[in-house]
Every structure is written in structure tokens, then in C-alpha cells.
Amino acid sequence: MRLYFDGDVWVGIEATFRVATEMRDVMLGPSDDAATALAGFIGDSIQTAHGQTDGTLTINFSAAGLLELYDSSTEFECYQIHYGGSVLPV
């Protein structure tokens, strides 16, 4: 699954992730139908993004929701951040 942001930035998700808003808090996998859970973020702005040493990336949106990506595998990439011509695999 790919999530596209402003400019030339997108995130490819290949493992479990969490979507939390006032209405829901769900864990999803890349093959799940995540459109409903992610629809509330369309047109929203990223307020902060924070990476932890365990590989977890937390993206907080201005409408009080968050997306957490987990580095849940030691053998495979769980997500990639693409910006410009660079790729950061986690």
C-alpha cells in the first residue's frame, strides 16, 4: 500500500500499522481494506512525525489523528519513506 503526501513524498507500507482517530483505533495490515480508516486524513496536514529507535514511525495529523508504522520484522522491510530521489527502508 502507498500513501502519497504533498510534493514528492510517499510511504510504502508492507507490515502492520495503526490508525487512531476520535472515531476509531485499529490495527491493519497492508492487505486490509484501509481506505475507510485512512479517509479521514485526506486533505489533512501532518503536524509532527517522530521516529523511535525500535523503528516505529508516528505521524500526527492536525485533525487529532495519528498513523503509526511498525518495524515488526527483523528479516523484511516493513515500510519505506520515499522523498525526492531518496528511499529510507525500515
Side-chain angles (χ1 to χ4, degrees), residues 3-81:
L3 302 177
Y4 291 90
F5 299 94
D6 283 345
D8 194 16
V9 177
W10 60 276
V11 176
I13 303 173
E14 299 180 26
T16 303
F17 63 98
R18 175 180 171 224
V19 176
T21 65
E22 292 178 359
M23 301 295 290
R24 67 183 60 201
D25 190 339
V26 294
M27 297 291 288
L28 299 163
S31 62
D32 291 331
D33 182 9
T36 302
L38 295 167
F41 297 138
I42 294 174
D44 204 353
S45 299
I46 294 176
Q47 193 168 15
T48 62
H50 182 270
Q52 298 176 8
T53 57
D54 67 357
T56 300
L57 174 65
T58 302
I59 302 171
N60 292 292
F61 291 87
S62 59
L66 69 85
L67 172 66
E68 281 188 332
L69 308 177
Y70 302 105
D71 184 10
S72 55
S73 173
T74 58
E75 299 176 24
F76 302 103
E77 292 178 9
C78 294
Y79 63 91
Q80 313 88 34
I81 302 169

